[in-house]
Short mmCIF file of all heavy atoms in Angstrom, two decimals:
data_model
loop_
_atom_site.label_atom_id
_atom_site.label_comp_id
_atom_site.label_asym_id
_atom_site.label_seq_id
_atom_site.Cartn_x
_atom_site.Cartn_y
_atom_site.Cartn_z
N GLN P 1 19.98 -9.87 0.52
CA GLN P 1 19.78 -11.09 -0.25
C GLN P 1 20.86 -11.35 -1.30
O GLN P 1 21.20 -12.51 -1.58
CB GLN P 1 18.42 -11.05 -0.94
CG GLN P 1 17.25 -11.05 0.02
CD GLN P 1 15.92 -11.07 -0.70
OE1 GLN P 1 15.84 -11.37 -1.88
NE2 GLN P 1 14.85 -10.72 0.01
N LYS P 2 21.41 -10.30 -1.90
CA LYS P 2 22.32 -10.50 -3.04
C LYS P 2 23.78 -10.22 -2.72
O LYS P 2 24.63 -10.26 -3.61
CB LYS P 2 21.87 -9.63 -4.21
CG LYS P 2 20.52 -10.05 -4.78
CD LYS P 2 20.19 -9.31 -6.06
CE LYS P 2 18.88 -9.80 -6.65
NZ LYS P 2 18.55 -9.08 -7.92
N LEU P 3 24.10 -9.95 -1.48
CA LEU P 3 25.47 -9.59 -1.13
C LEU P 3 26.45 -10.73 -1.42
O LEU P 3 26.26 -11.85 -0.96
CB LEU P 3 25.55 -9.22 0.35
CG LEU P 3 26.86 -8.59 0.83
CD1 LEU P 3 27.08 -7.23 0.16
CD2 LEU P 3 26.87 -8.44 2.34
N GLU P 4 27.49 -10.43 -2.20
CA GLU P 4 28.50 -11.41 -2.56
C GLU P 4 29.87 -11.11 -1.94
O GLU P 4 30.66 -12.03 -1.69
CB GLU P 4 28.66 -11.45 -4.09
CG GLU P 4 27.40 -11.87 -4.83
CD GLU P 4 27.57 -11.77 -6.34
OE1 GLU P 4 28.67 -11.38 -6.80
OE2 GLU P 4 26.60 -12.10 -7.05
N GLU P 5 30.13 -9.82 -1.69
CA GLU P 5 31.45 -9.43 -1.19
C GLU P 5 31.29 -8.23 -0.26
O GLU P 5 30.50 -7.33 -0.52
CB GLU P 5 32.38 -9.07 -2.35
CG GLU P 5 33.77 -8.65 -1.94
CD GLU P 5 34.70 -8.44 -3.13
OE1 GLU P 5 34.25 -8.67 -4.28
OE2 GLU P 5 35.87 -8.07 -2.92
N ILE P 6 32.05 -8.25 0.83
CA ILE P 6 32.00 -7.12 1.76
C ILE P 6 33.41 -6.78 2.21
O ILE P 6 34.25 -7.67 2.42
CB ILE P 6 31.10 -7.44 2.98
CG1 ILE P 6 30.85 -6.17 3.80
CG2 ILE P 6 31.67 -8.57 3.83
CD1 ILE P 6 29.73 -6.31 4.81
N THR P 7 33.68 -5.49 2.32
CA THR P 7 34.97 -4.98 2.78
C THR P 7 34.75 -4.27 4.10
O THR P 7 33.91 -3.37 4.19
CB THR P 7 35.59 -4.02 1.76
OG1 THR P 7 35.81 -4.72 0.53
CG2 THR P 7 36.93 -3.48 2.27
N LEU P 8 35.49 -4.68 5.13
CA LEU P 8 35.32 -4.14 6.47
C LEU P 8 36.66 -3.70 7.04
O LEU P 8 37.70 -4.29 6.71
CB LEU P 8 34.71 -5.19 7.39
CG LEU P 8 33.32 -5.73 7.02
CD1 LEU P 8 33.02 -6.99 7.81
CD2 LEU P 8 32.27 -4.67 7.27
N PRO P 9 36.67 -2.69 7.93
CA PRO P 9 37.93 -2.27 8.55
C PRO P 9 38.30 -3.12 9.76
O PRO P 9 39.40 -3.00 10.30
CB PRO P 9 37.65 -0.82 8.96
CG PRO P 9 36.18 -0.78 9.19
CD PRO P 9 35.56 -1.77 8.24
N PHE P 10 37.37 -3.97 10.20
CA PHE P 10 37.62 -4.83 11.36
C PHE P 10 36.54 -5.91 11.37
O PHE P 10 35.58 -5.87 10.60
CB PHE P 10 37.58 -4.03 12.66
CG PHE P 10 36.46 -3.04 12.75
CD1 PHE P 10 35.15 -3.45 13.00
CD2 PHE P 10 36.70 -1.68 12.55
CE1 PHE P 10 34.12 -2.53 13.06
CE2 PHE P 10 35.65 -0.75 12.61
CZ PHE P 10 34.36 -1.19 12.86
N VAL P 11 36.69 -6.88 12.27
CA VAL P 11 35.68 -7.92 12.44
C VAL P 11 34.82 -7.58 13.65
O VAL P 11 35.33 -7.24 14.71
CB VAL P 11 36.34 -9.29 12.65
CG1 VAL P 11 35.29 -10.37 12.89
CG2 VAL P 11 37.20 -9.66 11.44
N GLY P 12 33.49 -7.64 13.48
CA GLY P 12 32.60 -7.36 14.59
C GLY P 12 32.17 -5.91 14.65
O GLY P 12 32.13 -5.21 13.64
N THR P 13 31.89 -5.43 15.86
CA THR P 13 31.33 -4.09 16.03
C THR P 13 32.36 -2.98 16.06
O THR P 13 32.05 -1.83 15.80
CB THR P 13 30.48 -4.04 17.31
OG1 THR P 13 29.73 -2.83 17.32
CG2 THR P 13 31.33 -4.14 18.56
N SER P 14 33.63 -3.32 16.40
CA SER P 14 34.68 -2.30 16.48
C SER P 14 36.04 -2.93 16.28
O SER P 14 36.16 -4.16 16.14
CB SER P 14 34.64 -1.59 17.84
OG SER P 14 35.08 -2.46 18.86
N ALA P 15 37.07 -2.11 16.31
CA ALA P 15 38.43 -2.59 16.06
C ALA P 15 39.10 -3.17 17.31
O ALA P 15 40.26 -3.56 17.26
CB ALA P 15 39.29 -1.45 15.50
N VAL P 16 38.38 -3.22 18.43
CA VAL P 16 38.94 -3.84 19.64
C VAL P 16 39.15 -5.32 19.36
O VAL P 16 38.25 -6.02 18.92
CB VAL P 16 38.00 -3.65 20.84
CG1 VAL P 16 38.52 -4.39 22.06
CG2 VAL P 16 37.82 -2.18 21.15
N SER P 17 40.37 -5.82 19.61
CA SER P 17 40.69 -7.18 19.22
C SER P 17 41.63 -7.84 20.21
O SER P 17 42.69 -7.30 20.53
CB SER P 17 41.33 -7.19 17.83
OG SER P 17 41.88 -8.44 17.52
N ASP P 18 41.26 -9.01 20.69
CA ASP P 18 42.13 -9.83 21.51
C ASP P 18 42.39 -11.12 20.75
O ASP P 18 41.49 -11.95 20.62
CB ASP P 18 41.49 -10.15 22.86
CG ASP P 18 41.40 -8.94 23.77
OD1 ASP P 18 42.24 -8.05 23.63
OD2 ASP P 18 40.49 -8.90 24.61
N PRO P 19 43.61 -11.34 20.25
CA PRO P 19 43.87 -12.55 19.48
C PRO P 19 44.03 -13.80 20.33
O PRO P 19 43.92 -14.91 19.84
CB PRO P 19 45.18 -12.23 18.75
CG PRO P 19 45.86 -11.25 19.64
CD PRO P 19 44.77 -10.43 20.26
N SER P 20 44.31 -13.62 21.64
CA SER P 20 44.55 -14.76 22.51
C SER P 20 44.12 -14.45 23.93
O SER P 20 44.13 -13.30 24.36
CB SER P 20 46.04 -15.14 22.49
OG SER P 20 46.36 -16.05 23.51
N TYR P 21 43.78 -15.48 24.66
CA TYR P 21 43.42 -15.30 26.07
C TYR P 21 44.59 -14.75 26.87
O TYR P 21 44.42 -14.08 27.88
CB TYR P 21 42.99 -16.64 26.68
CG TYR P 21 41.78 -17.22 26.00
CD1 TYR P 21 41.91 -18.31 25.13
CD2 TYR P 21 40.52 -16.68 26.19
CE1 TYR P 21 40.80 -18.84 24.50
CE2 TYR P 21 39.41 -17.21 25.55
CZ TYR P 21 39.57 -18.30 24.71
OH TYR P 21 38.47 -18.82 24.07
N ASN P 22 45.80 -15.04 26.42
CA ASN P 22 47.01 -14.61 27.14
C ASN P 22 47.59 -13.32 26.59
O ASN P 22 48.67 -12.90 26.99
CB ASN P 22 48.07 -15.72 27.08
CG ASN P 22 47.58 -16.99 27.72
OD1 ASN P 22 46.99 -16.96 28.79
ND2 ASN P 22 47.81 -18.11 27.06
N ASP P 23 46.89 -12.72 25.64
CA ASP P 23 47.41 -11.52 25.00
C ASP P 23 46.28 -10.50 24.85
O ASP P 23 46.02 -10.00 23.78
CB ASP P 23 48.00 -11.88 23.64
CG ASP P 23 48.73 -10.72 23.00
OD1 ASP P 23 49.16 -9.81 23.74
OD2 ASP P 23 48.87 -10.72 21.76
N GLN P 24 45.57 -10.24 25.94
CA GLN P 24 44.41 -9.38 25.87
C GLN P 24 44.82 -7.91 25.80
O GLN P 24 45.57 -7.42 26.63
CB GLN P 24 43.50 -9.62 27.07
CG GLN P 24 42.90 -11.02 27.07
CD GLN P 24 41.91 -11.23 28.19
OE1 GLN P 24 41.41 -10.27 28.75
NE2 GLN P 24 41.64 -12.48 28.51
N SER P 25 44.31 -7.23 24.80
CA SER P 25 44.67 -5.83 24.57
C SER P 25 43.65 -4.86 25.15
O SER P 25 43.82 -3.66 25.05
CB SER P 25 44.82 -5.57 23.07
OG SER P 25 43.59 -5.82 22.41
N SER P 26 42.59 -5.38 25.74
CA SER P 26 41.55 -4.50 26.23
C SER P 26 41.04 -4.97 27.58
O SER P 26 41.35 -6.05 28.06
CB SER P 26 40.37 -4.47 25.25
OG SER P 26 39.64 -5.68 25.34
N THR P 27 40.23 -4.14 28.21
CA THR P 27 39.63 -4.49 29.48
C THR P 27 38.27 -5.13 29.28
O THR P 27 37.64 -5.58 30.23
CB THR P 27 39.46 -3.24 30.37
OG1 THR P 27 38.67 -2.28 29.66
CG2 THR P 27 40.80 -2.64 30.71
N GLU P 28 37.81 -5.20 28.02
CA GLU P 28 36.53 -5.82 27.73
C GLU P 28 36.68 -7.33 27.69
O GLU P 28 37.78 -7.86 27.63
CB GLU P 28 36.02 -5.33 26.36
CG GLU P 28 35.77 -3.83 26.31
CD GLU P 28 35.30 -3.41 24.94
OE1 GLU P 28 34.58 -4.19 24.29
OE2 GLU P 28 35.65 -2.30 24.52
N LYS P 29 35.56 -8.02 27.73
CA LYS P 29 35.59 -9.47 27.67
C LYS P 29 36.18 -9.93 26.34
O LYS P 29 35.69 -9.59 25.27
CB LYS P 29 34.17 -10.03 27.83
CG LYS P 29 34.13 -11.54 27.97
CD LYS P 29 32.69 -12.00 28.19
CE LYS P 29 32.64 -13.52 28.31
NZ LYS P 29 31.26 -14.00 28.47
N ALA P 30 37.22 -10.70 26.42
CA ALA P 30 37.98 -11.05 25.22
C ALA P 30 37.18 -11.88 24.22
O ALA P 30 37.48 -11.89 23.04
CB ALA P 30 39.24 -11.81 25.62
N THR P 31 36.17 -12.59 24.69
CA THR P 31 35.46 -13.51 23.81
C THR P 31 34.05 -13.04 23.50
O THR P 31 33.18 -13.83 23.17
CB THR P 31 35.42 -14.90 24.45
OG1 THR P 31 34.90 -14.78 25.77
CG2 THR P 31 36.79 -15.51 24.51
N ASP P 32 33.80 -11.79 23.62
CA ASP P 32 32.49 -11.21 23.35
C ASP P 32 32.03 -11.52 21.93
O ASP P 32 32.79 -11.37 20.97
CB ASP P 32 32.59 -9.69 23.54
CG ASP P 32 31.23 -9.03 23.64
OD1 ASP P 32 30.26 -9.61 23.13
OD2 ASP P 32 31.16 -7.95 24.23
#
């Protein structure tokens, strides 16, 4: 209820990241 600021090492559940459909760095679904 009171959270104002959060610091995270990545966005989402893990550090797996695909910035573009044409630059996929993983075998997982890029838009999960």
Side-chain angles (χ1 to χ4, degrees):
Q1 295 182 17
K2 294 188 177 181
L3 190 65
E4 298 175 0
E5 180 174 358
I6 190 166
T7 299
L8 299 166
F10 43 76
V11 177
T13 191
S14 71
V16 175
S17 169
D18 290 332
S20 168
Y21 299 105
N22 299 316
D23 188 23
Q24 295 185 19
S25 61
S26 74
T27 57
E28 298 179 34
K29 187 177 180 182
T31 53
D32 195 336

